Each structure stands twice: as C-alpha cells, then as structure tokens.
C-alpha cells in the first residue's frame, strides 16, 4: 500500500499526521510518500526529521517534489511514483486511525471496488463555530453528503455511494495512472496555494464510476481532521462552498455523458423533453442540450468544457471495453478487473 500525503507549506501541521501514520497497523508492505507541492517553507526537511524521530522502520518513507501548484497535480505525482497497487490519499491534516490501512486492504480485496472512503471527526470540536455541523460535509467531516439517508445501522458498515471526498480516499493506482494519462483529465485542480477551490475529488470519483467500478463508503475507515482555525471563519466557508458549484457542474456533466453513451435512445428522448421544458420556462442554456448531444455523439456542437469531458468518458469506456469486452448495461456498474495503463 502507498500512502500519499499531498503537502503545501505543511511544516507546521504535518507532525501529528505522520505520527498517526506511524502508529497504523499493517501486515503488508507500506510506503509513505510525501509530495511537496510547491512549498515555500521547510515542509520536506521537517517531514523527514519527524519521520526519523517517530522510529517506524517498517514503513518506507520518501519525499518527492511537484512544482506545479494544485492539489490534483500533487495527487498525480503521488500516483506516478507509488510502488503498490493501492493508494491512500492522506491530507496533511488527516490523522488516520490505527486500523485504517488494514481495513483499506480488506475493502479493496474486492476487485469491483475502484475507490473507497470513510468518516471523520474534528480534532478540536470545542473550537468549532455554531454553524459548522450544518456544513461539515464540505470540510470532509462526518460522512459523504449522499450517505445521510443510508447511514449504516447494526452490522452494516459499508454501502455504495456516488462520490467520495479526497481526504482518506483509497484508489487503485493503475486506474489513477490511466486517468492522469488522458489529455482531458483533470477539468478541476482542487486547492492551489492560497486559492480556495474544490471538486477534484468529485471528478476522480466520477471517472472511477465511469470506468465501471463501484465507490464504497465504510464506517470502519475513520480518521480525525485537524482543521486550521483560519478555515473556520464565515468568509472562508463562503469561498469554499462557492467553489463547490464548479465541482458539482463537472460531476453532472460526467454522469450525463456516461448515461447518454450507455442508453443513447432513452437519453435522446428524455433530453429532447428537457430542452422543451427549459425553453418553456425560459431556462434554456447550453447544458440543456448536453444529454441529446452526447447521445447523438455530436461533440462538435458542445462547448470546449463539455467536449473535454465527453472525450474523457469515451476514452474511459473504450478502455474498459477493450480490457473486458462488451458489458451489458445491467451489469456494467461493477467490474472484476482493474484499469491499467
């Protein structure tokens, strides 16, 4: 297993993250890769000193540099240098539980699962503002937003979801490498320095789903999230949630395109009805035409953003078909073999 820590100016907050990783149990090889993403502080040097001090000689530790600013580029670098088949993205403020790695290996033993994620709790709940838990899913605290109606109960600890957040995300390395090899991926970059942005984790989730894999939420995957005080202000929250719009739009385009390519006739009919409805309500815009354009493969009529996503989905589905042969629509939600380069 390869644990990738994407770090930008993380010298002041990475210590407890590394200490938590050092306490994790594992009966298999583990490497920790810290990606120094265009840091201007001593993130790399301090991280190496911290790991040497924790004294875990069973896990390999290395630091690599990614000069291109942007969380997605740090993730790409980590996937490129990872040695093992399973990659965990551990943010520089995530403190993984001691059984996180063991549970991750157990979950990913199912070849149909392309990515998995879990739940988190804040490290210092007493400093949280009154409004925090209303919007906690945006801070990767609690459970993914589409789990609210399907919270595990009794012995049920895992179920399928439509998206996962990047904090603690477990992904198949070869699927990631294939995605990063596509010219139209990614459409979103995630955080970039001091710029508040989001959605790159939603895009990874959407592409993994387009590849025929399932996304799994497990309450056995638990970590603590050490949220910096400057991220708990109302101004930051407004910027954060304002950035979600672009992510939701991109994910919507992925899902619409994948559905149209999968059921072209049905989506062409429904899409035509949608166009008429939007026209009657004076809400007609370019996105209104996407289901019909995708179903008819008329990418030339799409805007640049939609065309890039359309091409990405086509390449993903073509690759899946080449590896596993034609899959009936009723069975294509889960596959038994991972994507490879």
């Amino acid at each position: 297993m390869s644990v990738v820590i994407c770090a930008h100016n993380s010298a002041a907050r990475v210590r407890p993250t590394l200490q938590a990783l050092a306490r994790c149990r594992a009966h298999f090889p583990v490497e920790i890769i810290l990606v120094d993403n265009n840091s201007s502080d001593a993130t790399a040097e301090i991280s190496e000193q911290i790991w040497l001090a924790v004294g875990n000689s069973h896990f390999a530790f290395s630091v690599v540099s990614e000069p291109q600013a942007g969380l997605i580029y740090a993730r790409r670098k980590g996937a490129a240098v990872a040695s093992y088949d399973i990659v965990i993205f551990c943010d520089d403020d995530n403190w993984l539980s001691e059984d996180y790695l063991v549970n991750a290996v157990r979950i990913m033993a199912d070849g149909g699962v392309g990515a998995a994620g879990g739940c988190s709790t804040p490290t210092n709940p007493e400093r949280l503002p009154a409004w925090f838990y209303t919007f906690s899913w945006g801070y990767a605290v609690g459970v993914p937003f589409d789990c609210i109606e399907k919270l595990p109960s009794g012995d049920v600890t895992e179920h399928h979801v439509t998206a996962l957040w990047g904090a603690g995300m477990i992904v198949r390395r070869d699927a990631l490498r294939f995605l990063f090899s596509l010219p139209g991926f990614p459409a979103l970059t995630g955080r970039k320095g001091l710029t508040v942005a989001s959605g790159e984790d939603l895009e990874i989730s959407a592409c993994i789903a387009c590849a025929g894999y399932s996304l799994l939420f497990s309450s056995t995957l638990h970590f603590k999230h050490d949220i910096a005080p400057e991220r708990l202000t109302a101004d930051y929250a407004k910027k954060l949630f304002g950035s979600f719009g672009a992510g939701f739009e991109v994910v919507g385009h992925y899902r619409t395109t994948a559905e149209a390519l999968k059921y072209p006739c049905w989506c062409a009919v429904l899409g035509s009805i949608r166009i008429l409805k939007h026209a009657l309500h004076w809400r007609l815009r370019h996105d209104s035409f996407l289901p019909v354009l995708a179903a008819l493969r008329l990418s030339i009529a799409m805007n640049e953003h939609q065309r890039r996503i359309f091409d990405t989905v086509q390449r993903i589905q073509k690759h899946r078909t080449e590896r596993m042969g034609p899959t009936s629509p009723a069975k294509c939600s889960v596959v038994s073999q991972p994507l490879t380069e």
Side-chain angles (χ1 to χ4, degrees):
M1 174 172 292
S2 300
V3 181
V4 175
I5 305 172
C6 300
H8 171 75
N9 290 340
S10 306
R13 60 180 174 271
V14 74
R15 180 180 299 276
T17 300
L18 293 175
Q19 291 173 335
L21 276 170
R23 292 191 294 268
C24 286
R25 301 192 302 271
H27 53 274
F28 42 82
V30 175
E31 66 176 356
I32 313 296
I33 303 169
L34 187 137
V35 182
D36 185 2
N37 186 209
N38 197 35
S39 297
S40 57
D41 63 2
T43 291
E45 296 80 1
I46 290 177
S47 298
E48 290 175 334
Q49 295 170 7
I50 293 171
W51 189 258
L52 185 63
V54 298
N56 186 329
S57 59
H58 299 290
F59 296 175
F61 181 81
S62 62
V63 176
V64 297
S65 176
E66 173 49 61
Q68 187 170 6
L71 181 55
I72 196 70
Y73 303 119
R75 298 197 194 283
R76 180 181 63 186
K77 182 70 172 185
V81 302
S83 302
Y84 300 118
D85 295 334
I86 301 173
V87 173
I88 293 182
F89 288 121
C90 174
D91 290 351
D92 60 3
D93 55 5
N94 296 164
W95 305 352
L96 301 188
S97 61
E98 293 185 11
D99 59 356
Y100 204 97
L101 307 187
V102 174
N103 285 322
V105 164
R106 173 184 58 80
I107 291 169
M108 300 303 284
D110 180 351
V113 177
C119 51
S120 67
T121 53
T123 57
N124 293 298
E126 68 279 357
R127 74 184 182 194
L128 300 177
W131 49 260
F132 178 81
Y133 284 105
T134 303
F135 307 101
S136 62
W137 59 267
Y139 286 85
V141 168
V143 298
F145 57 85
D146 66 344
C147 292
I148 301 301
E149 296 180 357
K150 300 178 289 186
L151 290 175
S153 59
D155 296 332
V156 179
T157 59
E158 296 159 4
H159 63 264
H160 299 290
V161 293
T162 58
L164 296 162
W165 49 48
M169 180 187 284
I170 307 157
V171 197
R172 298 193 181 279
R173 177 197 61 183
D174 292 339
L176 281 172
R177 288 181 175 177
F178 174 74
L179 292 179
F180 286 123
S181 73
L182 300 177
F185 183 90
L188 301 167
T189 63
R191 294 191 305 273
K192 184 181 294 186
L194 297 177
T195 302
V196 179
S198 62
E200 94 294 336
D201 45 4
L202 299 180
E203 186 173 8
I204 291 175
S205 297
C207 288
I208 293 294
C210 285
Y213 284 114
S214 61
L215 308 174
L216 198 71
F217 164 81
S218 175
S219 59
T220 66
L221 297 169
H222 181 262
F223 61 93
K224 291 184 178 181
H225 194 177
D226 187 34
I227 307 172
E230 59 268 22
R231 297 181 62 200
L232 294 172
T233 65
D235 287 341
Y236 182 92
K238 290 177 182 178
K239 292 178 182 178
L240 176 65
F241 281 85
S243 72
F244 287 161
F248 291 147
E249 181 181 26
V250 166
V251 171
H253 288 172
Y254 273 110
R255 291 175 181 168
T256 297
T257 301
E259 195 74 8
L261 292 175
K262 185 176 175 182
Y263 305 109
C265 295
W266 181 244
C267 287
V269 172
L270 291 182
S272 299
I273 297 174
R274 178 189 183 191
I275 292 173
L276 179 60
K277 181 179 178 180
H278 284 189
L280 291 173
H281 290 83
W282 299 93
R283 294 192 292 112
L284 197 63
R285 58 194 186 101
H286 207 89
D287 287 355
S288 305
F289 298 91
L290 182 58
V292 174
L293 295 177
L296 299 178
R297 271 72 167 176
L298 295 176
S299 60
I300 192 172
M302 299 177 184
N303 61 34
E304 181 181 357
H305 177 68
Q306 294 172 341
R307 191 181 307 116
R308 183 169 61 247
I309 291 176
F310 178 81
D311 291 340
T312 298
V313 174
Q314 275 197 318
R315 290 170 184 265
I316 292 172
Q317 295 191 347
K318 179 181 178 182
H319 184 82
R320 180 188 67 192
T321 302
E322 289 174 349
R323 283 192 52 80
M324 289 160 286
T327 307
S328 63
K331 297 181 180 179
C332 71
S333 59
V334 177
V335 297
S336 58
Q337 298 292 330
L339 286 172
T340 56
E341 289 181 289

